[in-house]
Amino acid sequence: MFDYMKYMRQDKLPLIWCAGCGDGIVLKSMLRAIDKIGLDQNEVCMVSGIGCSSRLTGYVDFNTLHTTHGRAIPFATGVKMAKPELTVIVVTGDGDATAIGGNHYIHAARRNIDITVILFNNNIYGMTGGQVSPTTPIGKKASTAPFGNPENSFNISGLAEAAGASFVARGTVHDAIPLEKYIEKAIRKKGFSVVEVMTPCPTAYGRRNKLGNGAAMIKQLKEDTVPLSRAQKMSDEELQDKIITGVLVDVERPEYTDNYQKLIERFKG
Amino acid sequence: MSKEPRPDVGKNVRVMTGNEACAEGALVAGLYFYAGYPITPSSEIAEVLSERLPQIGGKFMQMEDEISAMGAIIGASLTGAKAMTATSGPGFSLKQENLGYASIAEVPCVVVNVMRGGPSTGLPTLPAQGDVMQARWGTHGDHPIIAVAPTSVLEVFMLTIRAFNLAERYRVPVILLMDEIIGHTSEKVILPDAATIEIWNRQAPTVGPDEYLPYKITESGVPPMAKFGEGYRFHVTGLVHDETGFPTNNSVQINKFLGRLNSKIDRHADEIITVTSDLQENATVGVFAYGSTARSAKRAVMLARQEGARVDFINPTVLWPFPEKQVSSLAERVSKIIVPEMNLGQMAHEVEWAARGRADIVKINRIDGEPIKPDDIVKAIVENA
């Protein structure tokens, strides 16, 4: 049995997350991935913003930094640039990373700085009570979209890819084993890596949209999931409302802290 | 032409602008990480550092916006690096939330604001002193802060070093308030030898990781600070926290933490505050001026004295914490205090508060992008002497 407690600040338990929330599954997948890589806890810096998923940093036994809303990536950028030997992992949500923090998300991808972003996508602002987020599907209800969301939603993995991330994967909390593998690959990748994880929020999203409890929502994730290999053979119409999972991007691009180090070596007096 | 060697010409004699002096001072102080965003009239600081930092093995980043620049310097500082950003009014507004984070999480850093006319986009290339209250109260909630205000290029160099020293010693963000005149004025400066300059560094923990409390209530009010990545594995948050660094809703713990946080600067005010004074026996009127306005005031005091006025002059180079004692003793000496400033009287309110009715306050204000000229101050001195 895997010893999660090695990585937990046990006196901080229980977690604040609601019954049926998928965030705990992401947390455990992440800890297994970190353990598999064999990272020294002293060499990991975990940075988060504001929101349900961002509370994760308070529970795990690493160098942890719980920042302001949307700004986890800039703080992480400063940590990584000043101490590149640290493994820097950002834990964030869909609202934190792609609404208020959207600018930082695309620019970190453009720089291709060696930071791994675990992006918990629950399609809603959970902590503040269920307001519509950039990933709330069109037509779905939220506390600030009582008649159904009139806006289009973001494809946040596609956004990272377009902005230049060298690794992008999408997983769900239904498939924890592949999720662990995506996270492992993302951390190992030298460059900006994103793992978008679809995770249910039964309290603030499911209830309002009559999607059932956490278990029912996770079951729905399974039904909506289409692995990338199968998706490549399907039409856009068939893929409507589906969740394409797998490693979406895995390319080699020059990495920013490396580039900067080379610049120092060239011009250092 | 004479080829006589001039005694003051050497490698330490330079002609530079305030912005260049700021960059040079930061490097002497030990700057390792700079993050910024282009904005007039501060951009030269970034330009100089983009070249100089990699040359010494340091890091320079031009970020995607002002907010991320402020966030990045906090992240860098947590690894032990000395970190700085520079901006002007609009950018200073954008930085306020993360500035509050640095204040509550007690992360040393230096934030330069080369003030221009406001509000909003305002007067991008014209001087103002309209951000002095924002420097104190710009971020929400009660919080500690230090702000310094140089009056000359040499003072920019010296006060930039001091800003880093104060940030490190008191675990607090320090605001370096220049204005466009100071930032862009070129002057000859004789830089002191690096060996004569005192550099302060943050206090490292004296205990091992098991006993370390990142927000311990210490005698000085300033807890020792570990670096990320050196075995201490502590938690940093913008939530109100207890001595362990983890969030708390317990009112006893909240009071303990916020009490220490908000008193740590005031209790060291005497060590922090620096004021240049030029007092005259039997003075009847005083002048209180800072930043570039202090240069006009200095000349005005000289001219007024030539006309027979008896004038005291005080020039605070630290604005926050406010030099209450110095203003109070000035109010004991004179019956009127003239406060010229390029805003509508922001510091004059503080001077009035410290004078507590013992001296009347005479304000001279401009917000039209023009400096306050010595003649305007001379006139006020003569009228009120």
Side-chain angles (χ1 to χ4, degrees):
Chain A
M1 176 93 186
F2 181 78
D3 180 18
Y4 294 101
M5 288 306 158
K6 180 186 170 193
Y7 297 99
M8 297 299 290
R9 288 168 171 151
Q10 295 178 46
D11 58 326
K12 302 303 168 200
L13 298 174
L15 304 161
I16 58 156
W17 298 327
C18 305
C21 173
D23 289 4
I25 300 173
V26 191
L27 166 62
K28 292 174 98 175
S29 303
M30 188 174 71
L31 294 181
R32 290 193 305 273
I34 287 171
D35 190 77
K36 203 167 167 195
I37 299 169
L39 295 173
D40 179 344
Q41 281 161 267
N42 291 321
E43 301 288 316
V44 174
C45 180
M46 206 167 279
V47 188
S48 63
I50 297 294
C52 293
S53 56
S54 287
R55 281 300 188 99
L56 184 150
T57 47
Y59 300 112
V60 291
D61 191 10
F62 303 107
N63 303 285
T64 53
L65 178 52
H66 177 228
T67 72
T68 48
H69 194 20
R71 318 304 173 195
I73 291 173
F75 280 66
T77 298
V79 170
K80 184 70 188 177
M81 266 304 260
K83 215 165 204 170
E85 62 270 28
L86 292 178
T87 298
V88 179
I89 300 169
V90 167
V91 176
T92 178
D94 45 301
D96 194 53
T98 69
I100 190 166
N103 199 26
H104 315 308
Y105 182 70
I106 57 173
H107 283 277
R110 173 181 62 77
R111 281 184 196 107
N112 197 34
I113 185 166
D114 185 23
I115 290 172
T116 300
V117 175
I118 313 296
L119 208 165
F120 296 56
N121 183 359
N122 62 2
N123 310 109
I124 204 80
Y125 284 86
M127 183 161 273
T128 45
Q131 294 78 19
V132 69
S133 99
T135 62
T136 304
I138 192 164
K140 293 293 184 189
K141 287 185 177 170
S143 69
T144 49
F147 310 114
N149 178 20
E151 297 186 16
N152 292 311
S153 63
F154 255 149
N155 170 355
I156 55 186
S157 283
L159 186 62
E161 178 181 3
S166 58
F167 183 93
V168 183
R170 188 189 288 115
T172 77
V173 296
H174 179 272
D175 299 311
I177 302 301
L179 177 59
E180 174 191 327
K181 285 183 181 143
Y182 303 150
I183 296 173
E184 184 196 336
K185 283 183 181 172
I187 295 171
R188 286 188 193 276
K189 183 79 183 184
K190 180 90 175 170
F192 190 72
S193 314
V194 174
V195 179
E196 178 188 359
V197 191
M198 305 307 298
T199 173
C201 175
T203 306
Y205 181 67
R207 190 167 45 93
R208 196 169 268 113
N209 287 290
K210 301 191 167 37
L211 301 174
N213 61 14
M217 289 181 77
I218 291 177
K219 204 171 157 215
Q220 188 63 46
L221 280 177
K222 181 194 174 189
E223 279 158 26
D224 291 343
T225 296
V226 179
L228 181 64
S229 54
R230 187 142 42 93
Q232 281 163 341
K233 295 169 202 148
M234 291 166 69
S235 68
D236 287 351
E237 221 162 67
E238 288 171 308
L239 288 171
Q240 189 82 38
D241 302 326
K242 297 293 181 193
I243 300 163
I244 302 169
T245 59
V247 176
L248 309 175
V249 178
D250 188 357
V251 295
E252 298 305 318
R253 292 183 60 223
E255 191 275 326
Y256 178 66
T257 59
D258 263 2
N259 280 355
Y260 205 93
Q261 195 53 42
K262 282 178 196 151
L263 189 144
I264 287 173
E265 279 152 25
R266 218 174 128 206
F267 293 100
K268 197 170 172 181
Chain B
M1 270 198 36
S2 159
K3 288 280 181 189
E4 287 282 302
R6 283 175 47 192
D8 62 348
V9 173
K11 67 178 169 60
N12 288 355
V13 177
R14 305 266 299 270
V15 175
M16 57 168 79
T17 64
N19 282 346
E20 288 166 334
C22 176
E24 295 300 330
L27 292 167
V28 170
L31 176 71
Y32 179 80
F33 182 84
Y34 178 95
Y37 186 82
I39 185 165
T40 304
S42 80
S43 298
E44 297 85 1
I45 298 170
E47 287 168 349
V48 171
L49 291 171
S50 69
E51 187 179 347
R52 301 272 277 119
L53 273 170
Q55 289 173 340
I56 58 156
K59 311 283 171 73
F60 166 90
M61 282 191 82
Q62 182 170 317
M63 297 298 289
E64 55 272 19
D65 57 28
E66 297 278 2
I67 297 169
S68 51
M70 188 65 217
I73 67 166
I74 296 170
S77 181
L78 285 165
T79 72
K82 290 190 182 177
M84 179 173 96
T85 185
T87 188
S88 186
F92 194 54
S93 291
L94 285 164
K95 289 185 192 300
Q96 292 300 328
E97 188 195 6
N98 282 342
L99 192 56
Y101 186 96
S103 199
I104 194 173
E106 301 180 74
V107 183
C109 56
V110 174
V111 178
V112 182
N113 175 3
V114 187
M115 291 183 283
R116 68 192 215 188
S120 189
T121 312
L123 299 164
T125 56
L126 298 176
Q129 295 176 313
D131 307 346
V132 289
M133 274 295 163
Q134 188 187 19
R136 180 63 194 90
W137 297 114
T139 197
H140 57 281
D142 292 292
H143 62 278
I145 204 91
I146 294 174
V148 300
T151 63
S152 69
V153 173
L154 181 61
E155 214 166 74
V156 172
F157 178 84
M158 298 305 292
L159 279 179
T160 303
I161 297 167
R162 185 158 170 80
F164 276 93
N165 284 349
L166 294 171
E168 292 284 317
R169 177 162 290 180
Y170 301 108
R171 285 189 66 174
V172 67
V174 177
I175 318 294
L176 178 76
L177 279 175
M178 285 195 253
D179 57 60
E180 190 275 339
I181 295 174
I182 301 295
H184 281 163
T185 294
S186 282
E187 284 184 308
K188 184 182 93 169
V189 291
I190 304 173
L191 300 179
D193 279 325
T196 65
I197 294 169
E198 204 179 334
I199 303 295
W200 300 348
N201 294 308
R202 65 192 74 171
Q203 194 196 338
T206 51
V207 297
D210 291 343
E211 289 170 69
Y212 178 59
L213 288 172
Y215 295 93
K216 190 177 166 63
I217 297 174
T218 58
E219 208 175 305
S220 70
V222 185
M225 188 173 179
K227 300 170 184 175
F228 272 176
E230 296 195 348
Y232 284 82
R233 296 208 303 269
F234 56 105
H235 185 58
V236 180
T237 178
L239 289 164
V240 170
H241 40 272
D242 60 20
E243 287 184 284
T244 66
F246 289 92
T248 181
N249 277 328
N250 176 312
S251 61
V252 174
Q253 294 298 332
I254 294 169
N255 273 315
K256 268 186 171 176
F257 170 68
L258 289 179
R260 176 183 64 75
L261 185 77
N262 282 298
S263 65
K264 73 174 178 179
I265 298 305
D266 287 343
R267 61 194 286 190
H268 296 288
D270 289 344
E271 301 152 42
I272 297 167
I273 290 168
T274 48
V275 174
T276 306
S277 300
D278 177 8
L279 307 182
Q280 204 178 19
E281 221 170 291
N282 303 323
T284 57
V285 61
V287 177
F288 173 103
Y290 56 93
S292 66
T293 305
R295 298 169 75 108
S296 294
K298 192 177 176 183
R299 180 161 177 83
V301 167
M302 187 193 80
L303 293 172
R305 284 175 182 168
Q306 282 171 6
E307 289 179 31
R310 316 253 352 138
V311 196
D312 278 354
F313 176 46
I314 68 171
N315 164 217
T317 44
V318 172
L319 297 181
W320 306 113
F322 184 75
E324 184 191 349
K325 280 185 193 166
Q326 289 81 350
V327 173
S328 183
S329 66
L330 179 67
E332 290 286 336
R333 293 169 54 85
V334 298
S335 56
K336 287 185 177 169
I337 301 174
I338 298 165
V339 186
E341 49 186 340
M342 287 185 284
N343 57 48
L344 291 180
Q346 295 187 20
M347 291 307 275
H349 283 294
E350 294 295 308
V351 175
E352 191 166 11
W353 160 76
R356 288 183 177 73
R358 289 165 296 173
D360 292 335
I361 308 305
V362 179
K363 298 195 285 182
I364 304 176
N365 308 109
R366 274 194 101 141
I367 55 166
D368 58 357
E370 291 292 326
I372 295 170
K373 301 195 171 57
D375 285 352
D376 300 328
I377 304 171
V378 172
K379 196 165 159 256
I381 294 171
V382 171
E383 278 171 9
N384 290 285

